[in-house]
Structures are given as C-alpha cells and as structure tokens.
Amino acid sequence: MYTQALDAQAQQDTAQEGAAALAARFQARVDAEEKIEPKDWMPEAYRQTLIRQISQHAHSEIVGMLPEGNWITRAPSLRRKAVLIAKVQDEGGHGMYLYSAAETLGVAREELIAQLLAGSAKYSSIFNYPTLTWADVGAIGWLVDGAAIMNQIPICRCSYGPYARAMVRICKEESFHQRQGFEIMLTLARGSAAQRAMAQDALNRWWWPSIMMFGPSDADSRHTAQSMRWKIKRFSNDELRQKFIDVTVPQAQFLGLTIPDAQLRFNEASGHYEIGAIDWSEFQRVLQGNGPCNRERLEARRAAHAAGAWVREAAAAHAAKQRARAAA
Amino acid sequence: MSEDWPLFEVFIRSRAGLEHKHVGSLHAADARMAIEHARDVYTRRQEGVSIWVVPSAQIIASDPAEAESLFEPARDKVYRHPTFYAIPEEVKNL
Amino acid sequence: MSGSATEPRDAVLEAARLRYVLRLADTSLVLGQQLGAWVGHAPALEEELGLANLALDLIGQARLLLSYAGELEGRGRDEDQLAFLRDAPEFANLALAEQPNGDFAQTIVRQWLLDGWQLEIYQGLGDSCDPRLAAIAAKALKETRYHHRFSSGWLIRLGDGTEESRRRTQRSLDDLWRFTDEFFAPDEVDERVSAAGIAPPLSLQAPAWSARVDEALAAATLRRPPAQPYPWHGKRGVHTEHLSHLLGEMQHLQRTYPGARW
C-alpha cells in the first residue's frame, strides 16, 4: 500500500520530467508548509533521512522503557507504581506510533528492529545510563522527558505527514510524563535528609547527559542544514538546548537542588543562562557503544526478542491454522 | 519469516457522532489480536468507542500519479461549492 | 439480603469480611506486581502494552480493595501501609498469584486461571449486600472481562500454535493446576461471608468456572490435568517460598526509609 506507487512513480517520473524539476516542485511544497504524504514524490535522500530519524526516535522510546522499567517492581507507593507503569507503557506506545510512521516510508518494522538488535542502529545516548535509585526515575521524567518535549514539539510541524501526526499524539501524552517526574523530585526535595540527598545525587548524574541529548553543536552537525531545508528539523540543536537550560534552571532552584555546574551563570545582557563546557568525549564514547550500560540495554532487548520468538511463531502458526480451517 | 505478523491499519471512532479516523498501524497475527492491540495502543486514554482494523494489504489507495485526473476536474465544478450561488442577504439559514 | 448498615455488626463477621477483602486485594496486588516485571521484556511491542494494561487494572483493584480493608480494620492503615508493611504470613492472596512469571506460557496460564476465578468472584459480588464491595466488583468485572478475553486468546494461540508452544503451555498447566484447589474450596471465612449475603457460596460458582476452563482447553487442544488435592492455601496465609522474595523487592524502599513520604 505505501510503497508500490513510490517505486513505479519514481521510474516513470524520472523518465518523463527529470529529477531536478521534481526536486524543485518538492521543495516548493515544503516551503509552502504543505505536508508530504507517503505516496507523494520525494527525494530518495529525504526518505532515507526520515527513515533514519524516525526509527532512531522509535528505538529510543523502546530502549527508554528499560531504565524506568527497572524500578516498577520497587516503586515506593502503589500510586507511584501505577503512574510509572502507565508512563513506560506510553513510551512503548510512542515507539509503536513511530515505527508505524517509519513503515509508511517503505521499510518493515522487522528490518528496523533487526538493525537495533544488531547494534547498527542508533538511539538516544541518554538511555545508556543506569537508574541507580528511585530519584533517578524522577530525574528522568523531569530532565529527560523535559528535553524530549523541547525537541518534539517543533517536529509536530515537520513536513512529513505521518511523522508530524505521530508527534502530535506523542506530545499530548508527554506532558504528564514530565509532571510526574518533577513531582517525584519535589516530594524527595521536601522529604527527609536522605531523600534530599537522593534527589541531589540523581540530578548530579543526569544533568550533563540530558544536556548532551540535544546533540552536538550545529557547527559540528552534518545533517542540520539539509534537514532544516526539508523541514524535518525546525530548530537547531543549540537553540533547543538553550531553551531547555533556561526553563530548567529555575525549576532546579525551586526544588532547592544545585545544578552540578560551577560555571553556570545567568547573563543579564542576553537573558540566558550560560553553562560550563560540555564533555563531548563522553558523548562520543556513549554513542560508540562504550557508555555505562549500552551492552546491558542491547542485551536486554536481544534477550526479549529471542525469548519471544517461539511466542510470535505460535501466534502466526495459529493464525495460519485458522485461515486453513476457514477455507476448508 | 514464519514469525512475522502482518501490518494492520487502525481506525478509531473516538466519540459517538464522529466518523472513524485513521490513527496509525500495528502488527498482529490475527484479527482478534489486532482489535485487542488497537484497544491497548490507541485507546489508553478513553479515546475510543469503536475500532476498525484492516490488513494494510487490503487497502486500495488512489495513485498520486493520477491526482490530476482524479481530483482536478472537481475544481472546475464550482456548483458543488456553496459560494457559487448568489443568495440575497435577507434569506437566513442557507 | 440481610445485613443493612443500621444493624449492629458482629465482630466475628467483621473479621471475616476484612479477611475476605484482603484475599481479593492481595491477589490483585501480587498478580499486578508480577506483571509489572514483564515491562521491557515482552515477546512483542504490542504485548508490552497489553500486559501493562493488565498490571494497571490489577494495581487499581488492589488500591481500592486495600483502602477498603484499611477502613474495615480500623487501625488507621492506608493502602500503602497494608501493601508495604505487612509480612508474607499476613498476606491473603491465592498462592497461584505468587508463582513466578516463568516463560510467556507460564504467565498466560497463571493469568487465564486467575482471570477465570476473578470473573466468577466479581460477577457474584454484583449482588453483595456490601455496597462498597459491590461497586468495586462492578468496575473490576469490566476489566476482568477484557483480561479473560486477552488471556484465553493467548492460551488458545499457544496451545494450538506450534508443537513447542503446546509443550510449554501444557507443562505450565500441569505445574500450576494444583493451585486451583483453593479457588472454590470454602473455609470458615468464605462460609461466614456467604451466610451474611456478602458473597455467593463458592460451591455455586465452581461449575461455571470449570465449564469455562473446559471450553478454553478444548479450543487450545490442551489436556485438563487431573484433580490434585493441595491444602496449602495462600488465602489462609500459607504461602510458597516465592512470596517473601516478591515482597522483599516490592517493599524494599518503604522498609529502608521508614516513615518517608514518596
């Protein structure tokens, strides 16, 4: 349904019109804020960029279920347990919406998952950090989901229809995630000395990785310019990162927690917070698979997939039997 | 792969009175599972009173290459649009 | 039905009512806790969401029932104090709920057996002379109907799927069957609450459960295991070794930071 016309059309049209004219017409549509839908003509590079970006986003949601899922059985109250299950379930759902969107571009979910499990697909660096205490669950909701929201809201207006619509759905669900995380931090910050220390320790460990989530500075980012022209990306990494910092620092102050950056200061002239140097070598290390728990995250996904093979086969076998019986 | 579950498209009617809207897709081994998955994925916040699932391969879609012949003639048929008719201002409810 | 709110309540009946509510509450709590462990490890993304939905419903039931139990008990304990500060012998869940997740077949068999039990119990409580219990049961019944549909669907797929899936499912069924002994075996708590019109007699509910079991097993091409007497009933506080491990993990934070608010 999604891809037959793409292939046929690509051959037909290139023969008739010439790729340059098609590309120009495509760019004009994007410039006019028209939405591109699955069977519309699109440059192959646009399609590949989207597949990469959407699938990385989907993988991030799925892998992201693990650090928080780690604390479901140990949540310290029934309400917190229920809210955490709901949040992690949402993340699974977001992964599903995104894989759906990626599949409209002519790639099968199986293939994307195979890439993830083989270690050749990327996902957000942040999920390669361990959740060591209950406060980490709060920090993730507050900081990681906060950063994700910053990034995701502009994508609701991206040029590719299915991706934009998936993002609208996701953003509606995401704000509860951040509030849940902040509420946990607030409760800890107002709790016992041990709980306050737990919250501060979590902030110490999650602050810089959250800052790095926005990716390298745009000068160092290969894809930014083209992605901006195609309206797949609407704001630069640095712009989004700055917005996040400006919004989050006052929240930390409200919590009475200290951001682990001795160089953090408010610049009266610019009206923005300035931070110290980001350790990009850590970011690179994590991206290349040498973060604190990259191996464990991938291994967990591989194990689940392998252990589930007989289940998936059984369901497919049963469906085949049902079809045979119906036909007989 | 013998363990592949086919792709289904999901349509949800969120409230009585509205039509079913396409909300996305999911994988399932059979129709019963597809309905349950659609319920689990797309109606977690009470967003549905009715679910349709259709195997994606069963959907017949118009071809964008034919967009001009399929859709442009309608632009000329102005009489399908209410603005074509000059109705005096005094006439209400039209 | 007798037992209106204006009649003086007798202590023995009230103790039985409390114990009865805890049985329902703890069964939902323990089962919900077990399902929470599947998150991130399910056989397919769609199943992640399905199992999580079940867990959420069960935790929700546990919260309502534990809150009620705390009120009945009258010692000022809320849902969390009951969940996190009781030790294993005080728990009244059916022993089946605390059996390990195992593989997906084991989880589905455990779920399907308990869903069938809850279906009967919550349906029966619809006529309870205890309005609070009737209301909770009415909500839980809607959820349980979906759970039962989900778990019996999977039982059939796994039983009548591949040779491997049938083998795994039959094995789990054979392993877990003995825990159904306590499902409809009335003890003095059950007898007191049914005499008072709080719940129907278990003996009346057993045949319907059994018929539903046979129907699903036939569709799943599985063998019903022979009846096995198993007098160690979790609902009487006689648990297996699994429960204290489960509670150790679940209760860890509250035990480590006594009196803290979360």
Side-chain angles (χ1 to χ4, degrees):
Chain A
M1 171 192 149
Y2 291 120
T3 59
Q4 306 95 307
L6 266 180
D7 297 333
Q9 192 186 8
Q11 287 157 23
Q12 223 179 1
D13 291 344
T14 322
Q16 285 164 18
E17 276 205 62
L22 282 169
R25 193 146 51 109
F26 172 82
Q27 190 60 52
R29 292 188 64 203
V30 169
D31 292 341
E33 298 285 351
E34 276 180 42
K35 289 282 178 257
I36 309 296
E37 295 298 341
K39 285 170 71 178
D40 293 343
W41 187 93
M42 60 183 78
E44 184 55 20
Y46 176 85
R47 191 172 79 92
Q48 291 300 339
T49 301
L50 274 173
I51 289 176
R52 201 190 55 245
Q53 181 168 325
I54 299 173
S55 63
Q56 279 180 25
H57 196 164
H59 296 325
S60 299
E61 297 282 356
I62 302 314
V63 176
M65 293 171 74
L66 293 170
E68 290 172 292
N70 184 29
W71 280 89
I72 286 174
T73 54
R74 291 173 295 168
S77 77
L78 294 183
R79 178 173 162 256
R80 295 286 183 211
K81 192 191 292 286
V83 170
L84 185 55
I85 293 173
K87 176 176 197 278
V88 177
Q89 188 195 34
D90 271 356
E91 277 148 28
H94 296 173
M96 285 201 56
Y97 305 153
L98 291 163
Y99 284 127
S100 286
E103 287 194 277
T104 65
L105 289 160
V107 63
R109 193 171 94 185
E110 278 78 39
E111 200 186 315
L112 297 173
I113 303 237
Q115 287 166 10
L116 173 66
L117 300 184
S120 54
K122 294 222 186 83
Y123 56 88
S124 186
S125 54
I126 195 77
F127 301 116
N128 294 309
Y129 290 85
T131 47
L132 301 177
T133 72
W134 172 249
D136 288 38
V137 174
I140 286 179
W142 170 41
L143 299 174
V144 176
D145 284 284
I149 288 170
M150 271 309 139
N151 191 42
Q152 281 165 187
I153 289 179
I155 306 181
C156 294
R157 294 183 301 117
C158 94
S159 55
Y160 188 58
Y163 191 21
R165 288 189 290 275
M167 289 317 303
V168 168
R169 197 172 251 283
I170 288 173
C171 285
K172 268 197 210 138
E173 300 179 355
E174 201 75 59
S175 59
F176 128 69
H177 295 184
Q178 197 190 16
R179 279 204 298 276
Q180 169 257 23
F182 190 78
E183 198 200 51
I184 290 175
M185 296 302 279
L186 191 56
T187 308
L188 293 173
R190 290 177 174 168
S192 67
Q195 287 176 301
R196 272 196 309 279
M198 200 193 282
Q200 181 62 60
D201 169 68
L203 174 56
N204 291 346
R205 285 181 287 102
W206 287 91
W207 174 254
W208 288 106
S210 300
I211 297 292
M212 288 183 223
M213 265 182 89
F214 294 94
S217 188
D218 301 288
D220 306 320
S221 175
R222 290 188 298 141
H223 303 290
T224 293
Q226 183 58 271
S227 290
M228 300 274 252
R229 261 200 300 282
W230 280 335
K231 297 201 202 307
I232 294 173
K233 195 176 168 61
R234 307 296 311 230
F235 292 104
S236 69
N237 294 348
D238 290 330
E239 278 174 292
L240 293 173
R241 186 183 357 259
Q242 187 60 57
K243 230 174 129 183
F244 172 74
I245 292 167
D246 289 339
V247 158
T248 309
V249 171
Q251 290 170 348
Q253 289 165 349
F254 181 84
L255 290 171
L257 299 176
T258 308
I259 294 204
D261 181 358
Q263 266 127 30
L264 177 70
R265 55 178 277 271
F266 185 70
N267 184 322
E268 292 289 349
S270 69
H272 294 295
Y273 284 95
E274 287 170 359
I275 58 171
I278 297 172
D279 179 6
W280 289 111
S281 67
E282 176 177 326
F283 181 72
Q284 289 305 324
R285 235 179 296 132
V286 174
L287 273 192
Q288 271 142 38
N290 298 318
C293 47
N294 297 57
R295 284 178 208 277
E296 285 82 351
R297 297 290 179 237
L298 266 195
E299 207 24 65
R301 293 309 311 158
R302 283 182 192 132
H305 194 79
W310 70 266
V311 177
R312 296 189 297 273
E313 275 163 29
H318 178 75
K321 287 185 189 178
Q322 294 292 82
R323 281 193 300 273
R325 286 166 193 155
Chain B
M1 266 204 293
S2 64
E3 52 177 270
D4 282 358
W5 293 355
L7 193 61
F8 287 78
E9 301 302 318
V10 181
F11 302 80
I12 305 271
R13 189 206 310 282
S14 57
R15 267 195 341 267
L18 299 178
E19 60 275 271
H20 285 76
K21 230 176 84 162
H22 181 239
V23 291
S25 62
L26 51 81
H27 289 265
D30 56 55
R32 172 179 170 149
M33 194 195 285
I35 290 275
E36 285 166 21
H37 285 164
R39 175 214 187 261
D40 290 337
V41 178
Y42 291 103
T43 69
R44 276 171 295 126
R45 284 166 165 76
Q46 279 94 45
E47 303 124 342
V49 302
S50 170
I51 297 172
W52 289 349
V53 292
V54 183
S56 308
Q58 293 288 312
I59 293 192
I60 299 150
S62 62
D63 185 342
E66 292 172 36
E68 283 185 14
S69 62
L70 277 178
F71 301 118
E72 284 228 8
R75 283 197 215 141
D76 297 339
K77 307 288 187 286
V78 184
Y79 55 74
R80 287 207 189 97
H81 289 266
T83 51
F84 179 78
Y85 300 95
I87 306 284
E89 296 226 334
E90 304 82 46
V91 182
K92 308 288 172 215
N93 302 317
L94 263 185
Chain C
M1 292 276 172
S2 64
S4 77
T6 54
E7 289 179 14
R9 295 195 149 184
D10 83 79
V12 171
L13 175 59
E14 288 316 299
R17 187 196 309 259
L18 170 59
R19 193 76 194 154
Y20 182 77
V21 171
L22 281 173
R23 288 174 175 183
L24 301 180
D26 289 342
T27 299
S28 290
L29 176 61
V30 171
L31 192 54
Q33 170 74 4
Q34 300 265 49
L35 291 177
W38 269 104
V39 174
H41 309 285
L45 195 40
E46 287 81 0
E47 267 28 80
E48 295 278 5
L49 272 68
L51 291 172
N53 262 339
L54 264 55
L56 276 172
D57 287 346
L58 289 162
I59 304 278
Q61 290 169 19
R63 294 181 66 195
L64 291 173
L65 291 162
L66 284 175
S67 294
Y68 185 34
E71 290 168 33
L72 291 172
E73 189 191 51
R75 284 167 48 190
R77 295 208 278 185
D78 67 9
E79 67 191 42
D80 285 330
Q81 284 161 321
L82 287 169
F84 292 92
L85 301 178
R86 281 182 299 151
D87 206 355
E90 299 164 77
F91 269 71
N93 56 285
L94 299 181
L96 178 55
E98 73 205 41
Q99 300 314 301
N101 284 339
D103 64 6
F104 191 68
Q106 176 133 323
T107 288
I108 288 298
V109 170
R110 181 188 65 199
Q111 191 63 41
W112 167 71
L113 288 169
L114 284 167
D115 287 340
W117 175 78
Q118 283 189 328
L119 209 50
E120 287 308 317
I121 298 298
Y122 289 142
Q123 228 160 355
L125 287 173
D127 293 322
S128 177
C129 65
D130 180 323
R132 182 77 165 269
L133 209 41
I136 295 174
K139 177 173 191 284
L141 180 59
K142 282 190 207 140
E143 295 168 349
T144 302
R145 286 210 170 101
Y146 182 74
H147 299 178
H148 189 261
R149 178 196 160 121
F150 177 88
S151 60
S152 44
W154 270 109
L155 185 86
I156 292 168
R157 280 180 208 111
L158 297 182
D160 189 23
T162 60
E163 266 318 297
E164 178 174 6
S165 67
R166 175 185 288 128
R167 183 177 45 81
R168 287 177 183 253
T169 312
Q170 186 67 60
R171 186 180 63 203
S172 292
L173 189 56
D174 294 337
D175 285 347
L176 295 175
W177 188 255
R178 68 189 188 278
F179 296 108
T180 63
D181 185 278
E182 66 172 312
F183 275 21
F184 297 100
D187 63 1
E188 65 279 6
V189 168
D190 295 308
E191 269 147 19
R192 289 205 173 101
V193 300
S194 64
I198 294 169
L202 288 177
S203 53
L204 289 186
Q205 300 181 299
W209 173 81
S210 190
R212 212 178 273 122
V213 161
D214 285 333
E215 194 184 331
L217 290 179
T221 70
L222 295 167
R223 273 182 333 262
R224 179 174 176 144
Q228 296 160 57
Y230 188 78
W232 299 279
H233 292 179
K235 66 184 180 183
R236 299 176 63 77
V238 181
H239 292 285
T240 66
E241 288 174 358
H242 301 294
L243 185 61
S244 56
H245 288 287
L246 181 147
L247 293 180
E249 185 172 344
M250 188 177 88
Q251 300 180 340
H252 166 78
L253 276 175
Q254 285 234 10
R255 302 283 195 170
T256 309
Y257 300 93
R261 295 188 54 203
W262 299 96

